mmCIF file of all heavy atoms in Angstrom:
data_model
loop_
_atom_site.group_PDB
_atom_site.id
_atom_site.type_symbol
_atom_site.label_atom_id
_atom_site.label_comp_id
_atom_site.label_asym_id
_atom_site.label_seq_id
_atom_site.Cartn_x
_atom_site.Cartn_y
_atom_site.Cartn_z
ATOM 1 N N LEU U 52 -18.747 22.577 -6.786
ATOM 2 C CA LEU U 52 -19.999 22.579 -7.537
ATOM 3 C C LEU U 52 -19.714 22.948 -8.987
ATOM 4 O O LEU U 52 -18.890 23.827 -9.238
ATOM 5 C CB LEU U 52 -20.945 23.614 -6.932
ATOM 6 C CG LEU U 52 -21.419 23.353 -5.501
ATOM 7 C CD1 LEU U 52 -21.518 24.655 -4.728
ATOM 8 C CD2 LEU U 52 -22.758 22.656 -5.507
ATOM 9 N N CYS U 53 -20.391 22.304 -9.924
ATOM 10 C CA CYS U 53 -20.270 22.764 -11.302
ATOM 11 C C CYS U 53 -21.278 23.886 -11.507
ATOM 12 O O CYS U 53 -22.117 24.158 -10.649
ATOM 13 C CB CYS U 53 -20.503 21.625 -12.298
ATOM 14 S SG CYS U 53 -22.200 21.073 -12.392
ATOM 15 N N GLU U 54 -21.173 24.559 -12.651
ATOM 16 C CA GLU U 54 -22.117 25.635 -12.916
ATOM 17 C C GLU U 54 -23.278 25.092 -13.747
ATOM 18 O O GLU U 54 -23.128 24.087 -14.440
ATOM 19 C CB GLU U 54 -21.414 26.746 -13.686
ATOM 20 C CG GLU U 54 -20.141 27.128 -12.972
ATOM 21 C CD GLU U 54 -19.800 28.583 -13.118
ATOM 22 O OE1 GLU U 54 -20.534 29.296 -13.823
ATOM 23 O OE2 GLU U 54 -18.810 28.990 -12.504
ATOM 24 N N THR U 55 -24.388 25.788 -13.695
ATOM 25 C CA THR U 55 -25.549 25.394 -14.490
ATOM 26 C C THR U 55 -25.158 25.243 -15.956
ATOM 27 O O THR U 55 -25.554 24.305 -16.635
ATOM 28 C CB THR U 55 -26.638 26.469 -14.339
ATOM 29 O OG1 THR U 55 -26.981 26.527 -12.955
ATOM 30 C CG2 THR U 55 -27.873 26.119 -15.136
ATOM 31 N N LYS U 56 -24.341 26.150 -16.424
ATOM 32 C CA LYS U 56 -23.927 26.141 -17.825
ATOM 33 C C LYS U 56 -23.190 24.846 -18.189
ATOM 34 O O LYS U 56 -23.339 24.333 -19.299
ATOM 35 C CB LYS U 56 -23.015 27.336 -18.062
ATOM 36 C CG LYS U 56 -22.685 27.595 -19.497
ATOM 37 C CD LYS U 56 -22.008 28.944 -19.617
ATOM 38 C CE LYS U 56 -21.711 29.252 -21.072
ATOM 39 N NZ LYS U 56 -21.344 30.662 -21.236
ATOM 40 N N ASP U 57 -22.398 24.320 -17.244
ATOM 41 C CA ASP U 57 -21.681 23.073 -17.510
ATOM 42 C C ASP U 57 -22.663 21.939 -17.783
ATOM 43 O O ASP U 57 -22.411 21.068 -18.618
ATOM 44 C CB ASP U 57 -20.786 22.709 -16.323
ATOM 45 C CG ASP U 57 -19.690 23.740 -16.088
ATOM 46 O OD1 ASP U 57 -19.130 24.232 -17.075
ATOM 47 O OD2 ASP U 57 -19.419 24.055 -14.916
ATOM 48 N N ILE U 58 -23.780 21.958 -17.062
ATOM 49 C CA ILE U 58 -24.796 20.916 -17.250
ATOM 50 C C ILE U 58 -25.517 21.125 -18.582
ATOM 51 O O ILE U 58 -25.755 20.181 -19.336
ATOM 52 C CB ILE U 58 -25.793 20.920 -16.072
ATOM 53 C CG1 ILE U 58 -25.047 20.604 -14.772
ATOM 54 C CG2 ILE U 58 -26.929 19.938 -16.307
ATOM 55 C CD1 ILE U 58 -25.853 20.804 -13.520
ATOM 56 N N LEU U 59 -25.818 22.402 -18.876
ATOM 57 C CA LEU U 59 -26.569 22.703 -20.112
ATOM 58 C C LEU U 59 -25.749 22.413 -21.365
ATOM 59 O O LEU U 59 -26.310 22.244 -22.447
ATOM 60 C CB LEU U 59 -27.009 24.170 -20.097
ATOM 61 C CG LEU U 59 -28.008 24.516 -18.994
ATOM 62 C CD1 LEU U 59 -28.352 25.998 -19.035
ATOM 63 C CD2 LEU U 59 -29.277 23.674 -19.130
ATOM 64 N N ARG U 60 -24.452 22.355 -21.241
ATOM 65 C CA ARG U 60 -23.601 22.011 -22.380
ATOM 66 C C ARG U 60 -23.872 20.573 -22.830
ATOM 67 O O ARG U 60 -23.628 20.213 -23.976
ATOM 68 C CB ARG U 60 -22.142 22.173 -21.971
ATOM 69 C CG ARG U 60 -21.240 22.672 -23.068
ATOM 70 C CD ARG U 60 -19.836 22.921 -22.554
ATOM 71 N NE ARG U 60 -19.652 24.262 -22.058
ATOM 72 C CZ ARG U 60 -19.248 24.570 -20.832
ATOM 73 N NH1 ARG U 60 -19.000 23.607 -19.961
ATOM 74 N NH2 ARG U 60 -19.100 25.813 -20.471
ATOM 75 N N ALA U 61 -24.376 19.747 -21.917
ATOM 76 C CA ALA U 61 -24.624 18.341 -22.242
ATOM 77 C C ALA U 61 -26.108 17.982 -22.256
ATOM 78 O O ALA U 61 -26.508 17.075 -22.968
ATOM 79 C CB ALA U 61 -23.892 17.450 -21.238
ATOM 80 N N HIS U 62 -26.901 18.680 -21.441
ATOM 81 C CA HIS U 62 -28.274 18.229 -21.213
ATOM 82 C C HIS U 62 -29.337 19.277 -21.550
ATOM 83 O O HIS U 62 -29.076 20.474 -21.515
ATOM 84 C CB HIS U 62 -28.465 17.905 -19.723
ATOM 85 C CG HIS U 62 -27.798 16.643 -19.293
ATOM 86 N ND1 HIS U 62 -28.255 15.403 -19.632
ATOM 87 C CD2 HIS U 62 -26.698 16.439 -18.525
ATOM 88 C CE1 HIS U 62 -27.466 14.476 -19.105
ATOM 89 N NE2 HIS U 62 -26.509 15.091 -18.445
ATOM 90 N N PHE U 63 -30.533 18.759 -21.795
ATOM 91 C CA PHE U 63 -31.735 19.589 -21.745
ATOM 92 C C PHE U 63 -32.491 19.127 -20.497
ATOM 93 O O PHE U 63 -33.043 18.014 -20.489
ATOM 94 C CB PHE U 63 -32.608 19.378 -22.978
ATOM 95 C CG PHE U 63 -31.925 19.805 -24.263
ATOM 96 C CD1 PHE U 63 -31.388 18.855 -25.128
ATOM 97 C CD2 PHE U 63 -31.815 21.151 -24.597
ATOM 98 C CE1 PHE U 63 -30.760 19.246 -26.300
ATOM 99 C CE2 PHE U 63 -31.193 21.546 -25.774
ATOM 100 C CZ PHE U 63 -30.653 20.594 -26.627
ATOM 101 N N CYS U 64 -32.465 19.921 -19.462
ATOM 102 C CA CYS U 64 -33.160 19.543 -18.232
ATOM 103 C C CYS U 64 -34.555 20.159 -18.270
ATOM 104 O O CYS U 64 -34.693 21.379 -18.402
ATOM 105 C CB CYS U 64 -32.409 20.045 -17.009
ATOM 106 S SG CYS U 64 -30.784 19.303 -16.837
ATOM 107 N N VAL U 65 -35.570 19.322 -18.157
ATOM 108 C CA VAL U 65 -36.952 19.781 -18.302
ATOM 109 C C VAL U 65 -37.622 19.888 -16.937
ATOM 110 O O VAL U 65 -37.604 18.901 -16.180
ATOM 111 C CB VAL U 65 -37.740 18.798 -19.196
ATOM 112 C CG1 VAL U 65 -39.167 19.295 -19.404
ATOM 113 C CG2 VAL U 65 -37.032 18.587 -20.529
ATOM 114 N N PRO U 66 -38.209 21.017 -16.573
ATOM 115 C CA PRO U 66 -38.179 22.257 -17.339
ATOM 116 C C PRO U 66 -36.866 23.032 -17.184
ATOM 117 O O PRO U 66 -36.506 23.796 -18.059
ATOM 118 C CB PRO U 66 -39.336 23.062 -16.718
ATOM 119 C CG PRO U 66 -39.409 22.561 -15.305
ATOM 120 C CD PRO U 66 -39.041 21.112 -15.369
ATOM 121 N N ASN U 67 -36.170 22.818 -16.070
ATOM 122 C CA ASN U 67 -34.905 23.529 -15.887
ATOM 123 C C ASN U 67 -33.977 22.700 -15.011
ATOM 124 O O ASN U 67 -34.361 21.653 -14.493
ATOM 125 C CB ASN U 67 -35.139 24.903 -15.248
ATOM 126 C CG ASN U 67 -35.963 24.791 -13.978
ATOM 127 O OD1 ASN U 67 -35.694 23.929 -13.138
ATOM 128 N ND2 ASN U 67 -36.988 25.617 -13.854
ATOM 129 N N VAL U 68 -32.761 23.174 -14.838
ATOM 130 C CA VAL U 68 -31.741 22.411 -14.108
ATOM 131 C C VAL U 68 -32.142 22.196 -12.643
ATOM 132 O O VAL U 68 -31.985 21.108 -12.091
ATOM 133 C CB VAL U 68 -30.378 23.133 -14.206
ATOM 134 C CG1 VAL U 68 -29.386 22.564 -13.214
ATOM 135 C CG2 VAL U 68 -29.828 23.003 -15.621
ATOM 136 N N GLU U 69 -32.718 23.213 -12.047
ATOM 137 C CA GLU U 69 -33.010 23.142 -10.614
ATOM 138 C C GLU U 69 -34.121 22.136 -10.300
ATOM 139 O O GLU U 69 -34.205 21.634 -9.173
ATOM 140 C CB GLU U 69 -33.441 24.515 -10.076
ATOM 141 C CG GLU U 69 -32.371 25.591 -10.152
ATOM 142 C CD GLU U 69 -32.163 26.120 -11.567
ATOM 143 O OE1 GLU U 69 -33.138 26.143 -12.344
ATOM 144 O OE2 GLU U 69 -31.018 26.465 -11.901
ATOM 145 N N ALA U 70 -34.964 21.841 -11.284
ATOM 146 C CA ALA U 70 -36.155 21.046 -11.025
ATOM 147 C C ALA U 70 -35.843 19.654 -10.457
ATOM 148 O O ALA U 70 -36.569 19.153 -9.622
ATOM 149 C CB ALA U 70 -36.993 20.915 -12.292
ATOM 150 N N HIS U 71 -34.763 19.023 -10.920
ATOM 151 C CA HIS U 71 -34.518 17.649 -10.502
ATOM 152 C C HIS U 71 -33.214 17.460 -9.746
ATOM 153 O O HIS U 71 -32.955 16.384 -9.233
ATOM 154 C CB HIS U 71 -34.488 16.724 -11.717
ATOM 155 C CG HIS U 71 -35.671 16.884 -12.604
ATOM 156 N ND1 HIS U 71 -36.918 16.429 -12.244
ATOM 157 C CD2 HIS U 71 -35.811 17.486 -13.803
ATOM 158 C CE1 HIS U 71 -37.776 16.738 -13.210
ATOM 159 N NE2 HIS U 71 -37.129 17.388 -14.152
ATOM 160 N N LEU U 72 -32.404 18.487 -9.720
ATOM 161 C CA LEU U 72 -31.060 18.262 -9.200
ATOM 162 C C LEU U 72 -30.903 18.769 -7.775
ATOM 163 O O LEU U 72 -31.428 19.812 -7.411
ATOM 164 C CB LEU U 72 -30.027 18.957 -10.094
ATOM 165 C CG LEU U 72 -30.012 18.492 -11.547
ATOM 166 C CD1 LEU U 72 -28.815 19.086 -12.266
ATOM 167 C CD2 LEU U 72 -29.951 16.974 -11.630
ATOM 168 N N THR U 73 -30.151 17.987 -7.003
ATOM 169 C CA THR U 73 -29.770 18.441 -5.672
ATOM 170 C C THR U 73 -28.335 18.943 -5.757
ATOM 171 O O THR U 73 -27.658 18.757 -6.768
ATOM 172 C CB THR U 73 -29.839 17.289 -4.658
ATOM 173 O OG1 THR U 73 -28.903 16.291 -5.080
ATOM 174 C CG2 THR U 73 -31.222 16.688 -4.593
ATOM 175 N N GLU U 74 -27.892 19.545 -4.667
ATOM 176 C CA GLU U 74 -26.511 20.034 -4.654
ATOM 177 C C GLU U 74 -25.517 18.897 -4.895
ATOM 178 O O GLU U 74 -24.477 19.090 -5.509
ATOM 179 C CB GLU U 74 -26.224 20.717 -3.309
ATOM 180 C CG GLU U 74 -26.830 22.099 -3.242
ATOM 181 C CD GLU U 74 -27.208 22.522 -1.831
ATOM 182 O OE1 GLU U 74 -27.255 21.654 -0.938
ATOM 183 O OE2 GLU U 74 -27.466 23.725 -1.639
ATOM 184 N N ALA U 75 -25.876 17.704 -4.430
ATOM 185 C CA ALA U 75 -24.977 16.558 -4.609
ATOM 186 C C ALA U 75 -24.681 16.308 -6.092
ATOM 187 O O ALA U 75 -23.559 15.963 -6.462
ATOM 188 C CB ALA U 75 -25.577 15.312 -3.967
ATOM 189 N N HIS U 76 -25.700 16.492 -6.945
ATOM 190 C CA HIS U 76 -25.475 16.294 -8.385
ATOM 191 C C HIS U 76 -24.496 17.323 -8.918
ATOM 192 O O HIS U 76 -23.619 17.002 -9.736
ATOM 193 C CB HIS U 76 -26.799 16.397 -9.152
ATOM 194 C CG HIS U 76 -27.771 15.309 -8.810
ATOM 195 N ND1 HIS U 76 -28.857 15.519 -7.991
ATOM 196 C CD2 HIS U 76 -27.799 14.002 -9.156
ATOM 197 C CE1 HIS U 76 -29.514 14.377 -7.857
ATOM 198 N NE2 HIS U 76 -28.899 13.446 -8.556
ATOM 199 N N PHE U 77 -24.659 18.557 -8.499
ATOM 200 C CA PHE U 77 -23.738 19.608 -8.947
ATOM 201 C C PHE U 77 -22.310 19.298 -8.501
ATOM 202 O O PHE U 77 -21.346 19.609 -9.200
ATOM 203 C CB PHE U 77 -24.155 20.971 -8.363
ATOM 204 C CG PHE U 77 -25.306 21.626 -9.084
ATOM 205 C CD1 PHE U 77 -26.623 21.318 -8.757
ATOM 206 C CD2 PHE U 77 -25.064 22.563 -10.088
ATOM 207 C CE1 PHE U 77 -27.682 21.921 -9.415
ATOM 208 C CE2 PHE U 77 -26.123 23.178 -10.744
ATOM 209 C CZ PHE U 77 -27.442 22.859 -10.415
#
Side-chain angles (χ1 to χ4, degrees):
Chain U
L52 295 143
C53 71
E54 309 213 357
T55 299
K56 190 169 182 167
D57 296 320
I58 298 170
L59 295 178
R60 215 175 270 123
H62 287 287
F63 296 103
C64 296
V65 182
N67 52 46
V68 167
E69 296 75 31
H71 309 287
L72 300 189
T73 62
E74 283 151 346
H76 295 103
F77 281 85

